[in-house]
């Protein structure tokens, strides 16, 4: 399976080299992501965990789907299906992200987004998760981020409030770099379990 | 132009084939479910973060002792259970040898009554001067308790982890592993996590 995953990674890399609209990044400090978008509308993404565990317990996930901007780029719709597994196959998860967003300005400094996530885990069964998030611009490069989510950060679903600041620099020549340090605060658990995450994305 | 079109088509087809292969080639090994029970040291353990590949349940309760475990008798039949408790039962007084015998007897009964398929027992952790003026006395008693736990683990077939000696520095807890002299910090939880995962 690792050979196939390496092949997939290699294919994605070669495709990225000969086309535009690519993204690399980290999600929640623990997942490395590499994404390529075909014809502006068809994203394919490989996500791989970087847990401090042995390779057989690392988790990978493949996303593919469709995204579209309409009404003068004020509305966005994204539908992504995914399949994931640990390398040793101890569990698999599959599901979809359906994201609908409203962008108050074209620079995306003020926006509101809802996500529906039907999610199935072979060990935990089916669960419908959701998230609602907003960005409020503080200045040209920084925006305050606030989110309520039940989408699993790792494997199990938790109700969390996440807040942070997105710092984004846009260069027509070099692409867009966005860094979002954030706190994830579980609602039903003790305060000691507040997590610090960093999301990072470079679009080129 | 024609060439780019074909190249793109080939790439897409290849990606689809690889996705299908990936889905169909997954080996299947058992998923691991872990139940954690004990005092605040369990309750504060961010299991989602430290065990992202496993199914975990946290039954830790602050200020609880062996009575908390007794309340869950028969609840975890067939599951793998991780136990860390003891400090709240003896930290405010000195346990005499008779008390310790009684306590260990109660501890063994409580843990076995969980009906778990496998038991993982962590030694009680040392405390520091930030937590108690009598920390040396508390740690002396904890040491005695842990010796009994080690012996009972051998007798009962539990997996025992001696983290007391790892966390001890001088007469108290190593300040690198605890901020308040009693509760582990993330660095300490990483040690506990690694010990456990290596023995699953």
């Amino acid at each position: 399976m690792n050979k196939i995953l390496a092949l997939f990674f290699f294919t994605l890399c070669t495709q990225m080299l000969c086309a535009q609209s690519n993204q690399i990044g980290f999600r929640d400090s623990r997942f490395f992501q590499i994404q390529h978008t075909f014809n502006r509308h068809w994203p394919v993404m490989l996500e791989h965990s970087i847990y401090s565990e042995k390779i057989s317990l690392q988790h990978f996930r493949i996303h593919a789907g469709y995204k579209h901007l309409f009404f003068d780029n004020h509305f966005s719709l994204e539908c992504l299906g995914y399949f994931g597994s640990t390398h040793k196959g101890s569990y698999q998860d599959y599901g979809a992200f359906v994201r609908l967003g409203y962008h108050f300005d074209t620079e995306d400094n003020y926006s509101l987004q809802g996500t529906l996530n039907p999610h199935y885990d072979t060990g935990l069964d089916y669960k419908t998760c959701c998230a609602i998030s907003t960005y409020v611009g503080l200045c040209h490069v920084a925006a305050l981020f606030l989110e309520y989510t039940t989408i699993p950060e790792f494997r199990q679903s938790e109700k969390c409030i996440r807040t942070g600041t997105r710092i984004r620099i846009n260069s027509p020549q070099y692409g867009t770099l966005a860094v979002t340090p954030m706190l994830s605060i579980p609602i039903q658990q003790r305060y000691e379990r507040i997590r610090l995450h960093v999301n990072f994305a470079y679009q080129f | 132009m024609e060439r780019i079109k074909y190249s793109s088509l080939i790439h897409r087809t290849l990606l689809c084939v690889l996705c299908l292969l990936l889905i169909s080639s997954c080996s299947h090994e058992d998923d691991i479910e872990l139940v954690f029970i004990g005092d605040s040291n369990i309750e504060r353990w961010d299991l989602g973060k430290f065990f992202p590949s496993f199914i975990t349940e946290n039954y830790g309760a602050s200020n609880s002792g062996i009575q908390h475990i007794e309340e869950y008798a028969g609840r975890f039949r067939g599951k793998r259970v991780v136990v860390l408790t003891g400090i709240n039962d003896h930290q405010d007084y000195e346990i005499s040898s008779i008390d310790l015998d009684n306590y260990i007897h109660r501890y063994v009964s409580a843990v076995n009554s969980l009906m778990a398929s496998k038991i993982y027992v962590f030694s009680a952790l040392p405390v520091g001067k930030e937590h108690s003026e009598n920390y040396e006395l508390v740690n002396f008693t904890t040491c005695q308790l842990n010796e009994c736990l080690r012996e009972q683990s051998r007798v009962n077939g539990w997996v025992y982890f001696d983290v007391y000696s790892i966390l001890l520095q001088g007469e108290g807890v190593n300040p690198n592993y605890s901020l308040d002299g009693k509760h582990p910090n993330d660095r300490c939880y990483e040690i506990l996590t690694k010990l456990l995962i290596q023995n699953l």
Side-chain angles (χ1 to χ4, degrees):
Chain A
M1 190 164 62
N2 287 342
K3 284 178 188 168
I4 294 166
L5 197 63
L7 261 171
F8 182 87
F9 180 73
F10 176 74
T11 312
L12 207 56
C13 286
T14 51
Q15 183 66 26
M16 287 175 78
L17 284 173
C18 61
Q20 286 191 335
S21 193
N22 304 309
Q23 182 175 307
I24 55 168
F26 285 100
R27 174 175 72 83
D28 297 341
S29 309
R30 302 232 174 175
F31 299 92
F32 172 73
Q33 295 178 327
I34 179 167
Q35 179 180 311
H36 172 72
T37 306
F38 295 94
N39 296 332
R40 295 193 308 152
H41 296 297
W42 303 93
V44 176
M45 182 168 76
L46 174 66
E47 182 178 87
H48 200 287
S49 66
I50 41 171
Y51 304 146
S52 56
E53 285 181 3
K54 51 191 173 184
I55 191 75
S56 61
L57 289 173
Q58 300 292 337
H59 182 263
F60 66 87
R61 199 185 258 181
I62 293 167
H63 299 70
Y66 178 78
K67 64 178 179 182
H68 197 82
L69 287 167
F70 45 96
F71 293 128
D72 292 334
N73 294 347
H74 280 299
F75 277 97
S76 64
L77 176 69
E78 186 176 22
C79 300
L80 284 176
Y82 61 81
F83 167 80
S85 175
T86 52
H87 282 273
K88 70 172 187 176
S90 56
Y91 77 94
Q92 284 80 43
D93 56 2
Y94 20 96
F97 289 112
V98 181
R99 290 195 185 100
L100 183 66
Y102 180 73
H103 310 273
F104 294 91
D105 63 337
T106 50
E107 293 198 345
D108 199 23
N109 275 332
Y110 297 88
S111 65
L112 192 64
Q113 182 174 271
T115 306
L116 188 68
N117 173 216
H119 177 77
Y120 179 76
D121 180 298
T122 50
L124 296 165
D125 289 334
Y126 176 78
K127 184 156 189 170
T128 305
C129 305
C130 63
I132 184 156
S133 58
T134 183
Y135 285 95
V136 179
L138 298 172
C139 63
H140 183 61
V141 294
L144 190 69
F145 164 73
L146 187 66
E147 180 180 57
Y148 167 79
T149 182
T150 62
I151 296 171
E153 283 179 4
F154 299 103
R155 184 175 177 186
Q156 289 170 255
S157 173
E158 299 158 301
K159 289 178 184 170
C160 290
I161 288 178
R162 288 147 65 102
T163 183
T165 307
R166 182 189 66 192
I167 297 155
R168 192 174 57 177
I169 297 163
N170 194 1
S171 157
Q173 194 180 352
Y174 298 109
T176 305
L177 178 70
V179 180
T180 314
M182 69 175 88
L183 289 175
S184 173
I185 306 156
I187 293 174
Q188 292 168 317
Q189 295 167 355
R190 289 176 63 94
Y191 67 94
E192 287 88 354
R193 291 196 220 158
I194 291 175
R195 297 169 186 155
L196 173 66
H197 294 307
V198 178
N199 284 2
F200 161 85
Y202 176 52
Q203 269 183 314
F204 56 99
Chain B
M1 199 67 185
E2 199 71 0
R3 210 170 161 181
I4 293 169
K5 253 187 183 177
Y6 281 121
S7 165
S8 174
L9 189 69
I10 290 165
H11 269 108
R12 276 179 231 179
T13 313
L14 193 56
L15 279 175
C16 291
V17 171
L18 285 172
C19 281
L20 287 171
L21 280 172
L22 194 64
I23 291 165
S24 61
S25 66
C26 285
S27 59
H28 289 279
E29 285 190 29
D30 284 343
D31 204 358
I32 294 176
E33 189 172 347
L34 293 168
V35 173
F36 290 71
I37 189 164
D39 51 30
S40 55
N41 293 327
I42 289 285
E43 191 186 24
R44 288 168 175 240
W45 202 337
D46 189 346
L47 301 178
K49 184 172 115 183
F50 285 102
F51 296 90
S53 306
F54 305 115
I55 299 171
T56 54
E57 288 177 83
N58 194 324
Y59 290 91
S62 285
N63 298 316
S64 70
I66 201 65
Q67 191 187 341
H68 177 63
I69 294 178
E70 287 169 338
E71 287 166 8
Y72 284 89
R75 287 274 300 273
F76 306 133
R77 191 177 295 272
K79 293 185 175 177
R80 299 186 194 206
V81 178
V82 180
V83 181
L84 199 174
T85 194
I87 192 75
N88 292 324
D89 289 319
H90 79 271
Q91 64 174 335
D92 295 328
Y93 55 90
E94 187 181 2
I95 298 176
S96 68
S97 59
I98 295 167
D99 285 332
L100 189 59
D101 284 345
N102 283 335
Y103 181 76
I104 286 294
H105 179 71
R106 204 176 152 195
Y107 189 108
V108 171
S109 302
V111 171
N112 282 333
S113 73
L114 297 173
M115 310 295 280
S117 64
K118 190 140 190 175
I119 304 272
Y120 302 88
V121 173
F122 280 98
S123 63
L125 310 184
V127 295
K129 59 185 172 196
E130 304 89 338
H131 172 66
S132 165
E133 284 178 6
N134 299 322
Y135 73 99
E136 287 169 328
L137 183 60
V138 173
N139 286 341
F140 176 74
T141 316
T142 303
C143 217
Q144 287 182 308
L145 170 67
N146 286 337
E147 278 309 309
C148 297
L149 284 181
R150 182 199 300 274
E151 176 58 20
Q152 288 303 322
S153 296
R154 194 184 59 77
V155 171
N156 289 279
W158 305 338
V159 180
Y160 177 75
F161 302 108
D162 177 18
V163 283
Y164 178 89
S165 52
I166 297 172
L167 306 185
L168 195 68
Q169 186 182 63
E171 298 293 317
V173 66
N174 185 332
N176 290 328
Y177 297 129
S178 176
L179 292 176
D180 60 2
K182 184 184 180 188
H183 299 108
N185 59 15
D186 268 14
R187 191 184 286 186
C188 179
Y189 279 124
E190 262 177 41
I191 292 172
L192 306 189
T193 303
K194 274 188 182 158
L195 278 173
L196 184 56
I197 286 178
Q198 281 165 7
N199 286 277
L200 285 175

